[in-house]
Amino acid sequence: MNVDYFIIGCGLAGIAFCEQLRQHDKSFLVFDNGSQQSSKVAAGLYNPVILKRFSEVWMAKEQLELALPKYKVVGELLKTQVDYPIPIHRRFASIEEQNLWFSASDKPALEPFLSISLVKNHNEEINAPFGFGEVLHTGRVDTTALIDGYQDYLKKEGRLVSVAFNHELLNVESNTFYYGEYTADRIVFCEGFGIKKNPYFQHLPLNGTKGETITIKAPNLKLDVILKGSAFLLPLGDDVYTVGATYNWTDKTNQPSQEGCEELVNKVKELINCDFTVIDQEAGIRPTVKDRRPLVGEHPEQPNMYILNGLGTRGVMIAPYVAEQLYEQIENNQPLNPEIDIKRFSS
């Protein structure tokens, strides 16, 4: 079986690149064994504002304009909803934070995303005496529905190999890639934190940050927006909420921890006054990079071998953008945005 591309990994990055190939009638084969959990564990929020500092997410406008139509197309392909627009209400901890919010809303880059109308708190179960600021053009992508649905689609198309990719079995002859009975002209590694076991790109500074979320049941909360304070609460329906997320730079396992659960429970107690029950907990390793930019580009020595990785904490927003950047670089010789090009680490 000969294809144009091997894609290694079927998380947010892999799916975004598959969509580029599918829309341009390129043949491809995807290898994924489900070992990397960060995309499925992710809450899937898309939010153009860094709410700790009231500053713009890198290239937020360009990312959103590209990503949201892409997720609509994927939803139609899978015949399921994956994009759920929903406002984010940032809880103010003080009058000073309110003033910082209004100052930020005057900045041209943030003006489209920060409402200048203060939202008063009318929910007695929420601890927010100073009210909220509303972030515009926000929502969540159901990453589990997206990934599970897309993998089912690939299986039906005969494009998914559900096994661990063994790098030692990859052979390269005359710039053609051979893997068992399969051959491809190009290969793109979208392995997330799994790249640490990839002998071709181990030189890149992908760190990995463990993130944990819990799911709670809070029958009295009745929240219909995403609430952001020291943690976020994301309503899933039926009085169930996702709460996240933690940041652990030392633990590199996908196992939920008691410490992570306790941290999130304490943060929930700061935000809400009603009783709740923890009903689930998940963990995954985010593929983070020291300069907070993705890792995209061609291997420095092996032609036609590429990486699409390092999406960090905002993979839902950034995946379609970097996938299009890489596709245009490969197929149309367009230069990558230098901020994401792995050549920045060539030294």
Side-chain angles (χ1 to χ4, degrees):
M1 181 180 181
N2 180 63
V3 294
D4 297 321
Y5 286 83
F6 287 156
I7 310 298
I8 315 304
C10 195
L12 292 171
I15 290 173
F17 197 76
C18 287
E19 279 298 282
Q20 287 292 322
L21 300 179
R22 188 180 68 83
Q23 292 169 18
H24 290 90
D25 295 321
K26 302 292 183 180
S27 59
F28 60 93
L29 193 64
V30 181
F31 295 81
D32 187 281
N33 70 335
S35 63
Q36 300 305 309
Q37 297 295 311
S38 63
S39 289
K40 292 184 71 171
V41 171
L45 301 185
Y46 53 88
N47 166 26
V49 182
I50 299 172
L51 289 174
K52 186 175 182 179
R53 302 187 295 271
F54 303 151
S55 56
E56 182 193 15
V57 170
W58 177 71
M59 297 194 68
K61 183 174 183 291
E62 293 86 347
Q63 290 179 31
L64 282 177
E65 287 178 350
L66 184 64
L68 298 187
K70 295 281 188 184
Y71 289 121
K72 181 180 180 181
V73 169
V74 173
E76 292 170 352
L77 173 72
L78 304 181
K79 296 182 174 58
T80 187
Q81 184 175 0
V82 297
D83 178 17
Y84 294 82
I86 180 172
I88 294 177
H89 284 184
R90 167 58 154 85
R91 173 186 177 270
F92 294 130
S94 63
I95 296 295
E96 288 76 15
E97 277 200 339
Q98 290 181 359
N99 293 334
L100 289 173
W101 175 277
F102 290 121
S103 295
S105 68
D106 286 335
K107 298 177 181 178
L110 290 171
E111 186 271 335
F113 304 125
L114 298 183
S115 171
I116 59 173
S117 298
L118 182 69
V119 179
K120 294 184 179 180
N121 179 32
H122 300 291
N123 187 336
E124 63 182 14
E125 304 297 351
I126 299 174
N127 179 22
F130 299 99
F132 313 96
E134 181 175 349
V135 189
L136 309 175
H137 309 296
T138 60
R140 64 175 279 259
V141 169
D142 187 334
T143 55
T144 298
L146 170 65
I147 294 170
D148 288 347
Y150 207 87
Q151 291 189 3
D152 287 344
Y153 162 76
L154 292 176
K155 288 177 184 177
K156 292 175 183 177
E157 294 287 311
R159 294 180 175 181
L160 180 66
V161 181
S162 300
V163 298
F165 188 84
N166 188 337
H167 303 87
E168 295 180 358
L169 299 181
L170 180 66
N171 294 311
V172 186
E173 297 179 15
S174 301
N175 293 331
T176 298
F177 298 95
Y178 294 83
Y179 190 82
E181 61 186 301
Y182 309 112
T183 63
D185 299 323
R186 298 178 176 89
I187 185 168
V188 181
F189 290 103
C190 309
E191 300 164 292
F193 189 65
I195 204 73
K196 303 300 285 186
K197 298 180 180 179
N198 183 320
Y200 302 104
F201 290 102
Q202 283 182 334
H203 63 285
L204 293 174
L206 188 139
N207 303 321
T209 307
K210 183 173 182 176
E212 299 187 59
T213 62
I214 58 174
T215 305
I216 65 170
K217 182 90 171 181
N220 295 328
L221 184 54
K222 306 305 179 188
L223 182 66
D224 59 0
V225 299
I226 299 170
L227 176 61
K228 179 68 175 75
S230 55
F232 67 78
L233 272 72
L234 189 158
L236 302 177
D238 298 322
D239 300 320
V240 174
Y241 304 85
T242 293
V243 180
T246 64
Y247 293 83
N248 188 317
W249 289 269
T250 56
D251 184 357
K252 305 299 184 183
T253 71
N254 286 322
Q255 298 302 314
S257 68
Q258 182 63 31
E259 294 80 6
C261 183
E262 291 175 357
E263 176 184 337
L264 293 173
V265 165
N266 289 333
K267 289 182 176 180
V268 174
K269 289 179 178 178
E270 294 175 4
L271 289 173
I272 66 175
N273 303 315
C274 56
D275 294 333
F276 61 92
T277 304
V278 177
I279 59 177
D280 197 13
Q281 183 179 359
E282 295 183 299
I285 308 298
R286 308 177 186 93
T288 52
V289 185
K290 62 181 182 181
D291 65 358
R292 300 185 180 184
R293 297 291 181 266
L295 300 171
V296 185
E298 188 173 20
H299 191 276
E301 298 177 357
Q302 176 56 58
N304 300 327
M305 177 182 285
Y306 303 89
I307 185 172
L308 187 65
N309 206 320
L311 305 192
T313 61
R314 300 181 185 274
V316 161
M317 279 182 60
I318 202 169
Y321 171 77
V322 293
E324 182 175 273
Q325 282 271 310
L326 182 59
Y327 180 85
E328 291 298 323
Q329 194 261 336
I330 296 172
E331 294 290 342
N332 299 315
N333 202 30
Q334 296 297 312
L336 290 170
N337 182 327
E339 290 192 69
I340 68 175
D341 195 331
I342 58 173
K343 290 179 180 178
R344 69 191 191 272
F345 299 116
S346 60
S347 59

